[in-house]
Amino acid sequence: MSNLYQEKNIVLSVKDLIIKFELRGRVLTAIRNISLDLYKGESLAIVGESGSGKSVFTKSFMGLLDSNGWIDQGSILYDNKDLSKFKREKEWLDLRGSRIAMVFQDPMTSLNPLKTIGRQVQEAIELHQGLKGKEAKSKAIEYLIDVGIAMPEKRFKQYPHEFSGGMRQRVVIAIAVACNPEILICDEPTTALDVTIQAQILNLLKAMQKKYKLTIVYITHDLGVVANVADRIAVMYAGDIIEIGTAHEIFYNPQHPYTWALLSSLPQLGVKGEDLFAIQGTPPNLFKDIEGDAFAPRNPHALKIDFLMRPPYFKLSETHKAKTWLLHPKAPEVKKAEVLLNLKENMEEYRHV
Amino acid sequence: MLKYFVKRLLRSILTLFIVITVVFLLMRLMPEEGYFGENGVDKLDEAQQEAILESMGLKDPVYIQLEHFYTDLLKGDLGESLIFRPNVPIKEIIAQKLPYSLWFGLFALGLSLVFGITMGITMARHKGKLADKLGTSYVVFISAVPAIIYYLFIQIYVTGILNLPLLFDVEIKKSWLIPGIAMSLGSISGYAMWMRRYMVDELNKDYIKLATAKGLSRRKIMYTHVMRNALVPMVQYLPSSILFTIAGSIYVESLFSIPGMGGLLVSAIQMQDNTLVQALVLIYSSIGIIGLFLGDVLMAVFDPRIKLQKAGGGR
Amino acid sequence: MALDYLEENYETFNQDLEDAMFEFADYDAKEAERTGYSNYSYWRSTWRSFLKNRIAVVLMLFVVFIVGFTIIQPYLPNQYEPTVVNISEETGRQLRNIPPNDQFWFGTNAIGQDLWARIWSGTRTSLFIGLIVGLSELTLGILIGSIWGYVRKLDTLITEIYNVINNIPRTIILVLFAYIMKPGLFTIIFAMAITRWTEMARFVRNLIIIIRDREYNLASRCLGTPTSRIISKNLLPYLVSVIMLRLALAIPLAIGSEVFLTYIGIGLPVDIPSLGNLINEGRVFIMVSALRYQLLFPAAVLSMITISFYVIGNGFADAADPKNHV
């Protein structure tokens, strides 16, 4: 490991993680041998299409896998403990909320409809900050102000159905932040919201990150979100991180054909009158063992070796690595699509979301 | 909120009006023998029969009969019994029966609330485990087997073990308990099943995920979120079940010869006392309508979401 | 581009990788599509989940056996007629209240009729009632439900009727109709069907509205899926599971209602052997422990049948629910 890695403080480290599920009597491998380090204070975006396992991956940090799923191999090191070995609920209780908190996708359903907003924020404060009664309540109101809710005293007594989607997501963020966590996982935090609200929520998350010194993991399929908030990007495909690097590296020097395809399909890159780029085919069947590069059958530039051997990580810089045989010295040169070369200019407009 | 209540109340009144009218009209279709009382049909010749029917107003056109019926009803007059206790106002008969039904009903209600809800919570907490399976077997048995079967066995064997007479005896204190317990068996199973179902439904909702991620223990989530939310829809059934248990179980009361309202219905039917049957059917139907109305009102009080929604009838 | 491998992949690097492996492979668009998940079949999953429910499967076999037996029982050798009063050849007297022996397997009743034959005859009657009630409930329910869903003008009217019926306790409606009409098989079936069609109708109405308005069906139709396919793929699974559930539950319910009506005196006439009549006759003897077999035998058969149908019906409904196909 280089010095650069050590200088950056690793808060959470995943090693060779394999997660499996049992579904209708068959075993599915959802996460296929992932290793990943998370640095203190950064915001990492995990990008991938639905079913790529990005949600499952982060849920395993909090012991929130569905009951038919389990960690088959590997470790998740956090705070000198291996989370993958946690069995009892009590072990997780010391961690959930207080160390790692989560913001879920759908704010319409992630609040208890029969409890006031205030009570639900207060609950988190009482649980993790040792405050009670009036003190907890005034603290809860502070958090509501923090996340930009007007008339917090009045709103405190209201129920979720009296809030709009964007407002509810603000409340969910308030709850997560009120737990006083070190790491915040945001699972598709803006997907269920109006486009106009999305940017507000992302700005709010950025502000919260600064104020409370959070490390944030964004899970998203939306590269627009990524472009706005991420320091680093991990691209997931079929339960594996196939490319990881700084936002700059992934956007302007992508290496894996899947990353190319993902970037090419950005609607903002479309040309009037032409069809949008779409990735052909469907993701692989995770019930079967995957040989070689999982993306190979959908990859027009696939090499023969892609069907035979799983590619290792090829390192491009201290921060950038990708799993594709195209980076092997023996591999032929492949020309990237033109849109990707112009991405820089195109993205300039895009970043103002 | 107020608008919702008024609308809901008007609906119930309309339904009540329709039901009373339909029941009344259906009863006019009955064979006329039921109106001759203890004399019986055979002892009377045709002219006498006509005279009796005439004196009761049964020869008038239906709408006039209906008008009379409603005028009496508004005065609180349910008519007089024909055969069960001839010429005694039905109001009086029911007034005598009500205290017994009230005691057994409230006793059974208490039992079933305490045991039913506890059982439902236990089943939901241990979903798929032994406690759940035992509870489910109980629910299946009670729902599948006709109540009379297990009532009869309670009557035969439990009274035997406790050394009690088979039938209800006002003088014996213990004999005030067994019928109440028997009556509660069905509603225990009902409460348990609904409580379990609502809790399991709640457990699968997204907000439970957030509550878990927030760091709440499963136990705490069960009690402060799931149970609380599951009790809200339960509230809806409460008024109906209170009213019905008060009105008495038809089976249990007649089986143990308890002089209550349920037993009264059976006697009235067996004696073909038309006016008494009519009155009792109306009372039971009204209880159903009032119960559902109160249930919706309670629901609106406990569920903050309803204030904003429209009253959705039966959707 | 300066390339170097991460340490952990060093071995891979050192392996001899043939040059030929780095040629382009042929791209096959069909191959790319083929990898998706489509191993899910609704009916196969439903059947598999049902088979997993051991108790339901055992009870299903039991029910098949019982139903078969009630049909063939009268044709078996050495069976008595259920309604014939048996008379002793020696004394010329009625063979009353004879405890179970090798001649009368379940004993005889108070007037000397064979209880074994009466129980199976009664079961036949009750199963018949249940089946007819179930079928008429389905017919009425689907018919009215379809009108309710399709004819928007009638929506308010039928909703109102539904509300009225739904507001009155089922038992009271049953009692009312059984009381007004002449006691008999038809009355019982009619009274039960009247109280039962509403749920089925509401269900069908909701289905039709789903077919009409639910987004995935709308989307399906926009893609040019014919209505027949939408019905067979999106509607039929729901409908069939509910039909099975309602049919299965109609049996215990019909038996329960018949027993109830007979008990309060407005059920089947005493000359038709039915489980209700048998229970009622047996009930008379609960004071005399020696004669309790006249209650115990019908009660035992009745309980087994009702429980079996109830469990099978619910087992199938659970199995048919895609949420349980995990």
Side-chain angles (χ1 to χ4, degrees), chain A residues 60 160 171 177 222 224 236 243 268 273 296 318 330:
Chain A
S60 68
V171 174
V177 173
D222 184 350
M236 272 188 83
E243 183 162 3
Q268 286 78 359
E318 283 305 318
K330 288 183 182 175

Side-chain angles (χ1 to χ4, degrees), chain A residues 1 22-26 51 68 255 280-287 296-305 307-309 312-316 321 325-334, chain C residues 1-10 12-13 15-41 45 48 52 322 324-326:
Chain A
M1 294 244 169
E22 191 179 320
L23 206 62
R24 290 177 216 121
R26 298 170 67 190
N68 58 338
Q255 293 300 323
Q280 297 299 315
T282 50
N285 186 341
L286 296 175
F287 283 111
R298 300 169 76 184
N299 179 9
H301 312 295
L303 305 176
K304 283 183 178 156
I305 191 170
F307 292 92
L308 300 169
M309 284 179 76
Y313 268 133
F314 291 86
K315 194 168 162 188
L316 291 123
K321 50 189 184 171
W325 286 117
L326 288 181
L327 292 175
H328 194 276
K330 288 183 182 175
E333 187 98 1
V334 173
Chain C
M1 203 181 299
L3 275 181
D4 63 302
Y5 290 88
L6 292 185
E7 287 155 48
E8 62 253 51
N9 294 314
Y10 206 72
T12 325
F13 177 60
Q15 269 178 14
D16 250 348
L17 296 174
E18 284 172 36
D19 291 5
M21 286 167 81
F22 286 92
E23 286 168 16
F24 285 113
D26 296 328
Y27 175 68
D28 181 359
K30 269 187 196 151
E31 188 64 23
E33 292 287 352
R34 215 173 56 87
T35 43
Y37 324 105
S38 61
N39 53 6
Y40 176 74
S41 145
S45 295
R48 199 183 299 145
K52 256 193 210 157
N324 297 328
H325 289 186
V326 176

Side-chain angles (χ1 to χ4, degrees), chain A residues 38 41-45 182-186 205-206 208-209 214-218:
Chain A
L38 189 63
E42 75 165 337
S43 38
L44 169 76
E182 184 173 18
I183 301 173
L184 182 64
I185 299 170
C186 301
L205 282 168
K206 275 201 260 185
M208 290 292 112
Q209 178 170 30
L214 299 167
T215 306
I216 300 190
V217 180
Y218 291 93

Side-chain angles (χ1 to χ4, degrees), chain B residues 180-248:
Chain B
I181 295 172
M183 271 167 73
S184 70
L185 292 180
S187 31
I188 286 179
S189 133
Y191 284 130
M193 189 182 72
W194 286 110
M195 192 65 199
R196 178 188 182 277
R197 187 170 299 173
Y198 287 133
M199 280 185 70
V200 171
D201 279 358
E202 291 297 319
L203 269 177
N204 288 331
K205 290 194 176 151
D206 277 356
Y207 74 82
I208 301 295
K209 276 194 262 167
L210 182 70
T212 315
K214 197 154 80 172
L216 283 175
S217 65
R218 194 171 154 80
R219 201 185 153 75
K220 208 154 182 201
I221 290 177
M222 273 289 176
Y223 288 109
T224 61
H225 286 266
V226 175
M227 205 177 91
R228 214 167 147 265
N229 286 20
L231 279 170
V232 170
M234 291 287 286
V235 155
Q236 201 169 16
Y237 298 109
L238 211 58
S240 301
S241 70
I242 291 176
L243 291 171
F244 278 116
T245 39
I246 286 174

Side-chain angles (χ1 to χ4, degrees), chain B residues 56-291:
Chain B
M56 295 176 82
L58 290 168
K59 286 285 158 188
D60 295 335
V62 173
Y63 65 91
I64 294 191
Q65 291 186 34
L66 195 62
E67 196 195 307
H68 284 295
F69 178 72
Y70 268 109
T71 339
D72 288 347
L73 201 60
L74 286 177
K75 284 186 232 151
D77 183 2
L78 285 163
E80 290 173 358
S81 163
L82 292 168
I83 305 165
F84 181 71
R85 280 166 67 189
N87 304 325
V88 177
I90 290 171
K91 249 197 319 193
E92 247 174 62
I93 299 180
I94 290 175
Q96 289 167 5
K97 304 280 181 190
L98 201 60
Y100 293 96
S101 293
L102 206 62
W103 154 251
F104 283 110
L106 289 178
F107 177 53
L109 181 78
L111 285 183
S112 43
L113 278 178
V114 172
F115 288 104
I117 290 182
T118 320
M119 192 170 149
I121 293 170
T122 318
M123 285 165 76
R125 283 202 58 187
H126 305 278
K127 189 174 166 248
K129 308 238 177 73
L130 184 70
D132 188 21
K133 283 178 181 159
L134 285 177
T136 307
S137 315
Y138 172 76
V139 172
V140 165
F141 180 84
I142 296 288
S143 334
V145 175
I148 184 113
I149 306 275
Y150 50 83
Y151 288 162
L152 278 172
F153 283 93
I154 288 174
Q155 194 179 20
I156 299 172
Y157 295 107
V158 178
T159 52
I161 292 165
L162 297 179
N163 218 356
L164 289 170
L166 281 180
L167 300 178
F168 171 70
D169 188 335
V170 189
E171 300 298 321
I172 303 172
K173 273 191 187 157
K174 272 193 221 159
S175 137
W176 285 81
L177 298 178
I178 306 295
I181 295 172
M183 271 167 73
S184 70
L185 292 180
S187 31
I188 286 179
S189 133
Y191 284 130
M193 189 182 72
W194 286 110
M195 192 65 199
R196 178 188 182 277
R197 187 170 299 173
Y198 287 133
M199 280 185 70
V200 171
D201 279 358
E202 291 297 319
L203 269 177
N204 288 331
K205 290 194 176 151
D206 277 356
Y207 74 82
I208 301 295
K209 276 194 262 167
L210 182 70
T212 315
K214 197 154 80 172
L216 283 175
S217 65
R218 194 171 154 80
R219 201 185 153 75
K220 208 154 182 201
I221 290 177
M222 273 289 176
Y223 288 109
T224 61
H225 286 266
V226 175
M227 205 177 91
R228 214 167 147 265
N229 286 20
L231 279 170
V232 170
M234 291 287 286
V235 155
Q236 201 169 16
Y237 298 109
L238 211 58
S240 301
S241 70
I242 291 176
L243 291 171
F244 278 116
T245 39
I246 286 174
S249 154
I250 300 173
Y251 265 141
V252 171
E253 289 191 2
S254 81
L255 213 56
F256 287 89
S257 293
I258 295 166
M261 276 184 55
L264 181 64
L265 179 63
V266 178
S267 310
I269 287 170
Q270 283 163 352
M271 293 179 187
Q272 301 227 332
D273 188 334
N274 280 4
T275 47
L276 191 51
V277 170
Q278 173 179 296
L280 286 171
V281 165
L282 287 182
I283 289 173
Y284 276 100
S285 313
S286 321
I287 285 176
I289 294 166
I290 296 168

